[in-house]
Amino acid sequence: MKKTLLAVALAPVCLSSFFVAAQHEDVMVVTANRFEQSVKNVIAPVSVITKEDIEAIQAKSLAEVLRRLPGVTIAANGGFGQLTTVSVRGSQNVLIMMNGVRLGSATAGGVNLGQLPLTGIESIEYIRGTRAAVYGADATAGVINIITTTQPDDVQGQVAAGIGSDGYYQAKGSVAGRLTELTWAKVAGNFEQADGFNVADYSSGAWLEDQKDDDGFKSKDILGEFGIILNDKWRAVVNAFYHDGQTEYDYTGSPGNNEADYVFYNASGQVSYASDRLTSSLLLGVNRDEGENKGNTPGSTIVTDRTQVNWSNSYQLTEHYHAGFGVDLVEEKASDSELWNSFAGQFESYDNESRRNDAGYITFWRDADDIQFEASLRYDDNEHYGSYKSWQLGAGWRFVEQMRVTANAGTGFKAPTFNDLYWPSFGNPDLEPEESENYEVALEGTHSLLDWRIAAYDNTVSNQIRNQGQGEQLENQDVRVQGVELVASFETGPIHHDVALDLMDHENESDKKRLRRVPDEALKWNASYLADAYLLEVSYLYQGDSRDQYFDPVTFTNSEVELKRYHLLDIAASYYVTEALTLQGRIANVLDEESVTAYGYNAAERSYFANVSYSF
């Protein structure tokens, strides 16, 4: 294959940056403010990860993609398929969406990344900083929008297979194309499985001997899309995703063999209108997040059913000024949950099994090359708490062509979960929602060989909800996180580099303790080298010391423990045999470091992967 042809095929890899989104007029994002705009004029820090990026680094999980990004910290109870959470700038209050539809469990809170595969992903848009005045609860630290929608001009697809360490293998495929001149469709499927490794770290003293077994996983996923262009102003699209997963896991409170069965589906339909000045869309989304725990003792089945309706509108007032408004209606139910009470020896239900949140928001913004401005105000009416108002302001000034100064500020809230509020005998229905204030100032530059951004932020969360252990009420804690974030993208000859440095000062203001699983510093470096028919990707992550808690199921007490700093180095290589056939290999954790992100749980040792794919 000629290098010119390969360069065309990999153009998204070369142009996009994980850290400083490419300042090109044709790079558009929709997540920052719920309308399409050029990334060049987005005030909030944004990163765009493309399908080509994911394929180049040969990621096997969403966590492996996200951990490369600035501000992101991943915590996992082991390897693939295990419980995995994400924090941004020290907070887990991160809204994760699929095609604009809110995901996650309203019972446990957040999204288990270990059960959210990479099937059918076209791009991921990642926004750092509060977006609560646009998206509401859970968006106080950032927003991650997984986009699977596409509108292909012709038929395109891929089939791939791979194997790896610990009995890992995968088979996947996708195809998308025009059905008629006005309709298109997409189908993607994925199957992966691994024997796994023993996730229990016996050196921690937290485990029993009968839990020394390998903890594997199995995942089956299917995704579909159908779209139609009704006329030059109207179009409609339907998306659906289904995941069926089984994970073997270890838990201190349940010795022996434990398994969790997960079912997750998300379906949405959207009708959109676009004219010269007005854009409007109506989105209906439904999803289910279900986890059933099995073991030597009975386990709970925890279910969230969510229905969401969003109507969003924007109107261009003048060349650079726009106004918008929207309505968000969300209903969450946990009525299908069965909660095992080990003390009473019986299954129980949540004390309250449903809740609803109705919200409306207005926005105003200036979108121009020299000065950008945005203001948003949102009103939420929560069935449990009543009303809540949140606001957001942002401004940017490009004082020379290559440099810009920005400032962002905003408030938000997070509702306690069903577990926090309504778990039988332990929930506290008097808990108040978390309230946050977020401030950021930044200076950024875009040059021919270097893009960079340095930001300082100050985030305060009042009444952060923490579970202090069995026998104690769930209590509220105040938290403050201050940090400096430096990101850069640059070239050294044929090598492209992305670098991010995160420095954080964080504590619970009541007891002056550092936050759990949040490092004081993190350094990330990613490099890619393209030559002829070869692509080499190198990824390095340094994460500093952090604090965790160990819960003793015998004494029902928490103990303070330290998570040691670690280094992770991954190397991935691709060989393009032809324009259609690609051979790939990857070594993960080259240094064979102990990279513990949750106390008592092992991370994968040095691992090897090989893949072959055929595109058409």
Side-chain angles (χ1 to χ4, degrees):
M1 180 192 301
K2 294 182 180 179
K3 184 174 180 180
T4 53
L5 292 178
L6 182 59
V8 171
L10 295 179
V13 178
C14 302
L15 289 178
S16 67
S17 164
F18 278 104
F19 302 140
V20 181
Q23 302 296 305
H24 295 273
E25 296 289 350
D26 57 348
V27 177
M28 308 296 290
V29 294
V30 297
T31 307
N33 293 294
R34 270 185 162 162
F35 61 88
E36 188 175 69
Q37 63 183 136
S38 170
V39 71
K40 179 180 179 180
N41 292 331
V42 174
I43 301 172
V46 55
S47 297
V48 180
I49 303 95
T50 67
K51 174 176 65 176
E52 291 78 10
D53 293 325
I54 296 172
E55 292 176 352
I57 66 175
Q58 301 175 43
K60 300 301 181 185
S61 68
L62 184 59
E64 289 184 337
V65 176
L66 297 179
R67 75 183 183 191
R68 298 160 57 97
L69 302 175
V72 169
T73 303
I74 298 294
N77 291 0
F80 296 134
Q82 302 293 329
L83 175 63
T84 305
T85 59
V86 59
S87 298
V88 173
R89 294 179 172 179
S91 172
Q92 291 190 18
N93 296 350
V94 183
L95 176 61
I96 299 180
M97 304 186 296
M98 178 176 287
N99 301 318
V101 178
R102 176 185 296 263
L103 303 181
S105 169
T107 52
V111 174
N112 180 3
L113 299 184
Q115 297 297 320
L116 196 58
L118 299 172
T119 307
I121 293 178
E122 297 292 331
S123 65
I124 301 173
E125 295 182 4
Y126 164 54
I127 314 296
R128 302 190 294 286
T130 181
R131 297 280 102 185
V134 178
Y135 289 102
D138 305 325
T140 57
V143 177
I144 298 170
N145 190 16
I146 302 167
I147 299 172
T148 67
T149 58
T150 183
Q151 191 172 327
D153 294 325
D154 51 16
V155 177
Q156 55 192 31
Q158 183 188 75
V159 291
I163 58 173
S165 299
D166 300 316
Y168 176 88
Y169 66 88
Q170 179 185 40
K172 62 179 181 179
S174 64
V175 61
R178 291 278 180 174
L179 301 178
T180 67
E181 184 178 354
L182 300 177
T183 61
W184 71 92
K186 172 183 174 180
V187 177
N190 174 69
F191 174 81
E192 55 186 327
Q193 178 176 311
D195 298 331
F197 56 89
N198 184 17
V199 302
D201 177 13
Y202 285 89
S203 65
S204 67
W207 303 96
L208 303 174
E209 290 298 316
D210 60 0
Q211 290 180 300
K212 285 188 175 181
D213 60 343
D214 289 339
D215 300 293
F217 87 104
K218 182 185 296 183
S219 175
K220 294 175 285 186
D221 315 287
I222 188 168
L223 177 145
E225 175 184 338
F226 174 78
I228 180 171
I229 301 173
L230 302 172
N231 55 43
D232 60 346
K233 295 182 179 180
W234 290 89
R235 81 168 198 162
V237 62
V238 176
N239 291 281
F241 173 78
Y242 181 85
H243 166 76
D244 182 2
Q246 294 83 41
T247 298
E248 298 168 342
Y249 70 95
D250 290 330
Y251 172 55
T252 55
S254 179
N257 298 320
N258 296 287
E259 179 180 305
D261 293 344
Y262 296 97
V263 172
F264 167 70
Y265 66 77
N266 182 69
S268 63
Q270 184 175 28
V271 178
S272 58
Y273 170 88
S275 64
D276 292 339
R277 291 185 175 272
L278 175 65
T279 61
S280 180
S281 70
L282 180 64
L283 173 69
L284 171 64
V286 294
N287 52 54
R288 183 180 180 94
D289 188 311
E290 176 180 345
E292 179 183 2
N293 298 298
K294 303 176 181 178
N296 293 337
T297 60
S300 299
T301 298
I302 301 179
V303 182
T304 296
D305 288 304
R306 180 183 291 108
T307 302
Q308 174 181 334
V309 177
N310 170 256
W311 181 37
S312 58
N313 306 269
S314 66
Y315 184 78
Q316 184 175 1
L317 302 172
T318 65
E319 181 181 1
H320 297 302
Y321 290 92
H322 307 254
F325 73 92
V327 176
D328 261 332
L329 309 176
V330 178
E331 184 178 40
E332 297 170 330
K333 296 182 178 180
S335 54
D336 288 345
S337 298
E338 295 182 340
L339 313 178
W340 175 249
N341 187 329
S342 58
F343 297 97
Q346 63 184 18
F347 285 100
E348 298 178 339
S349 300
Y350 285 105
D351 296 335
N352 190 340
E353 296 182 331
S354 68
R355 65 184 181 189
R356 177 169 174 164
N357 193 92
D358 299 337
Y361 60 91
I362 57 174
T363 62
F364 175 80
W365 66 96
R366 185 181 194 272
D367 187 7
D369 290 341
D370 55 351
I371 296 177
Q372 305 84 42
F373 174 81
E374 65 180 36
S376 301
L377 180 65
R378 181 181 171 106
Y379 177 86
D380 284 85
D381 183 12
N382 189 283
E383 187 174 7
H384 188 87
Y385 302 107
S387 62
Y388 189 88
K389 302 180 184 68
S390 51
W391 57 265
Q392 178 181 306
L393 294 172
W397 175 37
R398 188 168 284 108
F399 53 93
V400 295
E401 184 178 356
Q402 295 84 14
M403 297 180 65
R404 183 175 71 154
V405 61
T406 64
N408 289 280
T411 62
F413 82 103
K414 176 181 175 65
T417 67
F418 277 81
N419 290 1
D420 296 331
L421 295 164
Y422 309 127
W423 191 280
S425 303
F426 295 101
N428 181 356
D430 296 326
L431 286 172
E432 298 178 355
E434 295 181 1
E435 299 180 358
S436 66
E437 292 185 3
N438 301 268
Y439 301 93
E440 182 202 68
V441 292
L443 181 66
E444 61 187 44
T446 304
H447 312 280
S448 58
L449 298 178
L450 171 67
D451 294 340
W452 58 272
R453 185 178 193 271
I454 183 169
Y457 55 87
D458 189 341
N459 302 333
T460 302
V461 178
S462 302
N463 302 326
Q464 187 187 45
I465 302 158
R466 298 176 59 209
N467 190 338
Q468 300 299 316
Q470 188 169 334
E472 298 181 21
Q473 283 190 330
L474 295 168
E475 297 180 0
N476 289 325
Q477 298 281 334
D478 293 347
V479 166
R480 187 174 186 182
V481 180
Q482 296 174 300
V484 175
E485 180 183 273
L486 173 63
V487 297
S489 296
F490 57 93
E491 313 283 345
T492 56
I495 303 176
H496 176 81
H497 305 263
D498 289 321
V499 180
L501 175 64
D502 294 295
L503 304 174
M504 285 188 290
D505 181 19
H506 51 92
E507 66 179 13
N508 289 301
E509 295 192 329
S510 58
D511 57 17
K512 304 303 179 183
K513 292 182 178 180
R514 298 156 63 208
L515 304 185
R516 290 184 58 202
R517 301 179 180 178
V518 178
D520 293 337
E521 66 276 335
L523 175 64
K524 304 172 184 183
W525 169 64
N526 304 296
S528 60
Y529 172 73
L530 175 64
D532 296 323
Y534 298 90
L535 175 66
L536 180 66
E537 292 277 346
V538 179
S539 175
Y540 170 78
L541 166 64
Y542 166 77
Q543 184 160 302
D545 296 332
S546 60
R547 183 183 73 91
D548 204 355
Q549 284 185 342
Y550 161 60
F551 176 72
D552 190 324
V554 177
T555 62
F556 302 119
T557 58
N558 287 320
S559 300
E560 300 293 326
V561 293
E562 288 290 323
L563 300 179
K564 295 180 180 180
R565 67 190 68 184
Y566 62 85
H567 307 258
L568 276 183
L569 178 66
D570 290 0
I571 299 176
S574 301
Y575 172 58
Y576 301 90
V577 181
T578 68
E579 293 188 36
L581 181 63
T582 303
L583 302 178
Q584 294 181 309
R586 175 184 170 218
I587 305 176
N589 192 8
V590 174
L591 304 177
D592 202 21
E593 284 258 336
E594 293 185 3
S595 54
V596 177
T597 58
Y599 183 75
Y601 292 93
N602 290 314
E605 300 176 347
R606 183 186 297 119
S607 304
Y608 304 88
F609 300 91
N611 307 280
V612 58
S613 63
Y614 182 83
S615 302
F616 55 90

